[in-house]
Amino acid sequence: MPDATTGETWAGWRDFIIESRVPESEIITSFIFRPADGKGVPHHQPGQHLTLLIEPKDGPSLKRNYTISGHANGETYRISVKREAQGQASRWLHDAADAGTRVKLLPPSGTFVLPADQARPVVLLSGGVGLTPMVCMLEALAAQPSGPSAHFIHGTQNGATHAFASHVKALSAQRANLKTTIFYEHPRKTELAGRDFDRAGFIDLDWLAENTPLAQADYFVCGPLPFMRHFVQGLAARGVPRARIHFEFFGPIEELLDPQTPPVQPTVFSGVKAAPMTQLKPFSPGTLTPDHIAQALIDSNADAVVASDRDGQIILWNPGAERIFGFSEQEALGQSLDIIIPEPFRARHWEGYHQTVASGESRYGAGDLLAVPGLHKDGRRFSIEFTIVLLKNADGRVEGMVSTIRDVNARFEETKKLRKELAELKKAAE
């Protein structure tokens, strides 16, 4: 993707400076990044994300993905982040990252994008902080003198959590075929329908069927897992082809698409992407599938089963992983693999990880056991063995990796003890 100024993108980490920060709601703040070298930045596709490296003075480095919430301008990037009470990175951004703060970024990436040649009508459907890619897409659509019709539909608690309210209204006014509908779950007494929001309550499928063109539109869906499961499954059940249902989700696809998993009741969640469920899906006699078997093996496995995306963020964490490493699923999902890698070994790990992602080849064969130190939640190191399998898409591009990890510390200590005793016996015999 060419740079607007130099005609080149960049490789690896690049230094950026926070040029400004803008409160978008009581819980969401936007951060504007400008390259520290003063050069331009590649034009991103609407919906892509940035990988951000934060290096706090008083803590470990943090690596997170955040959707770019602003239209491409060749000069800066904007992300919009909800402050999470338990989120180390989001708390650091909100509490410590002032204008002038330096961070590192990888180039824009991701496949949840609005096509440049989009011709069909577009429905941008979001819940909570899931609106960030939708705002970027709406900005791109509004910048076109003519283009497909679009309906921006967003649900949130009320005006306190509603980000980009006036900005979205202004964007939709730029073309006659751009429309917005805002749902407030619990409007405050001072908030009026028709002025501050459009409808009270939840977004529901009946309303979507009556107010959006199911037979023609492309649906872009982003929000927490329960929100997405309800609408991805619901839209498919109402006849929208899956090729026209686009979503950004970090978890097992079956959780969204398996029709045997009942959709949750419609609701609006203001949290970030939720943890994938790891319970076995219900099935009737005669309907046992490989998916059921795989899920049962993952859930019941005493070993850790850990999957990570291209950037090394954890997207699957089974009960065995919690037993071995101490982190709950909620604590681990979305975090960097650094949480289970001792600090002295991280640089070597990431060098190999990124090389494998780029090349599509691992120097370790399928089933090869690798022995390395692991890091427990309580800070202690212990010995682990693991295997890795590359997760590739239809084009052969590596989208992530999955590992089965076993705690072999007891065996390692026993082996070390036996070696010591053997050495002492040899010494005595000599």
Side-chain angles (χ1 to χ4, degrees):
M1 194 177 300
D3 186 291
T5 300
T6 66
E8 299 177 356
T9 187
W10 78 88
W13 297 107
R14 182 179 178 186
D15 287 334
F16 280 72
I17 292 172
I18 296 178
E19 182 175 80
S20 61
R21 46 183 290 164
V22 181
E24 307 292 357
S25 75
E26 292 184 6
I27 58 173
I28 297 175
T29 296
S30 288
F31 299 85
I32 314 299
F33 300 117
R34 184 175 291 276
D37 58 17
K39 298 180 181 179
V41 297
H43 278 79
H44 61 279
Q45 295 176 271
Q48 286 190 308
H49 63 264
L50 293 171
T51 300
L52 173 67
L53 178 65
I54 300 169
E55 299 176 300
K57 295 179 180 179
D58 56 351
S61 297
L62 304 170
K63 188 169 65 170
R64 299 290 187 273
N65 289 344
Y66 292 107
T67 302
I68 303 171
S69 61
H71 185 44
N73 60 22
E75 298 179 357
T76 61
Y77 293 125
R78 180 181 73 192
I79 65 170
S80 303
V81 181
K82 179 191 173 191
R83 190 186 193 283
E84 297 287 347
Q86 303 302 317
Q88 289 178 290
S90 71
R91 285 190 288 112
W92 183 87
L93 284 167
H94 278 255
D95 300 342
D98 297 320
T101 301
R102 188 175 289 251
V103 298
K104 295 181 184 295
L105 299 177
L106 291 177
S109 61
T111 58
F112 177 67
V113 298
L114 180 71
D117 57 353
Q118 179 70 31
R120 287 189 293 264
V122 174
V123 176
L124 305 174
L125 179 62
S126 62
V129 78
L131 90 166
T132 54
M134 309 310 183
V135 171
C136 188
M137 292 180 188
L138 186 62
E139 287 186 352
L141 289 165
Q144 300 174 10
S146 62
S149 63
H151 195 164
F152 181 101
I153 303 167
H154 178 60
T156 188
Q157 295 289 325
N158 50 45
T161 60
H162 186 188
F164 296 105
S166 59
H167 182 53
V168 166
K169 276 188 178 181
L171 290 172
S172 66
Q174 293 185 28
R175 272 208 282 122
N177 59 353
L178 299 182
K179 181 181 180 180
T180 65
T181 303
I182 305 299
F183 286 73
Y184 278 4
E185 180 183 350
H186 298 297
R188 296 176 294 189
K189 293 180 180 179
T190 57
E191 294 168 343
L192 299 177
R195 184 193 71 183
D196 304 299
F197 64 98
D198 298 297
R199 296 180 63 88
F202 304 113
I203 308 169
D204 64 72
L205 286 161
D206 289 338
W207 183 90
L208 280 178
E210 293 172 4
N211 293 274
T212 64
L214 295 181
Q216 296 89 31
D218 276 301
Y219 288 80
F220 292 81
V221 187
C222 188
L225 175 63
F227 178 93
M228 293 176 62
R229 287 182 64 202
H230 178 72
F231 289 109
V232 171
Q233 290 186 25
L235 288 168
R238 290 182 181 238
V240 179
R242 289 184 179 171
R244 289 198 280 109
I245 304 174
H246 315 274
F247 45 85
E248 185 172 39
F249 176 66
F250 298 98
I253 290 301
E254 294 82 0
E255 289 295 341
L256 293 176
L257 301 180
D258 188 348
Q260 296 185 35
T261 305
V264 295
Q265 291 301 309
T267 187
V268 175
F269 297 87
S270 56
V272 294
K273 301 175 185 68
M277 301 177 182
T278 53
Q279 288 77 29
L280 178 64
K281 302 175 184 67
F283 60 91
S284 304
T287 64
L288 187 63
T289 69
D291 286 341
H292 294 118
I293 298 169
Q295 196 69 52
L297 288 172
I298 290 171
D299 290 344
S300 62
N301 199 335
D303 293 337
V305 179
V306 179
S308 54
D309 64 12
R310 284 177 59 86
D311 299 314
Q313 285 190 297
I314 297 168
I315 59 174
L316 173 67
W317 187 263
N318 77 331
E322 180 174 354
R323 181 184 66 81
I324 290 175
F325 293 103
F327 295 96
S328 68
E329 183 181 59
Q330 185 176 4
E331 291 173 316
L333 288 169
Q335 301 296 317
S336 165
L337 288 169
D338 281 344
I339 65 171
I340 60 173
I341 303 170
E343 195 279 332
F345 301 90
R346 289 174 187 167
R348 183 178 177 185
H349 163 83
W350 290 118
E351 180 183 358
Y353 193 96
H354 293 310
Q355 182 179 353
T356 299
V357 167
S359 67
E361 299 292 337
S362 171
R363 58 177 174 162
Y364 303 106
D368 285 355
L369 280 172
L370 313 177
V372 296
L375 183 65
H376 193 273
K377 180 181 178 180
D378 62 15
R380 61 184 170 84
R381 294 188 193 180
F382 62 104
S383 298
I384 58 175
E385 287 181 348
F386 69 98
T387 60
I388 62 170
V389 176
L390 304 186
L391 304 175
K392 298 183 179 181
N393 63 17
D395 298 325
R397 180 177 185 263
V398 175
E399 297 295 344
M401 304 183 199
V402 62
S403 297
T404 300
I405 307 169
R406 175 166 296 176
D407 180 352
V408 295
N409 201 65
R411 190 183 74 196
F412 177 80
E413 293 298 329
E414 181 64 23
T415 301
K416 188 165 69 171
K417 178 182 176 183
L418 290 173
R419 286 175 177 170
K420 182 179 179 181
E421 291 176 351
L422 180 60
E424 290 173 348
L425 287 173
K426 286 184 176 179
K427 185 178 180 181
E430 290 172 354

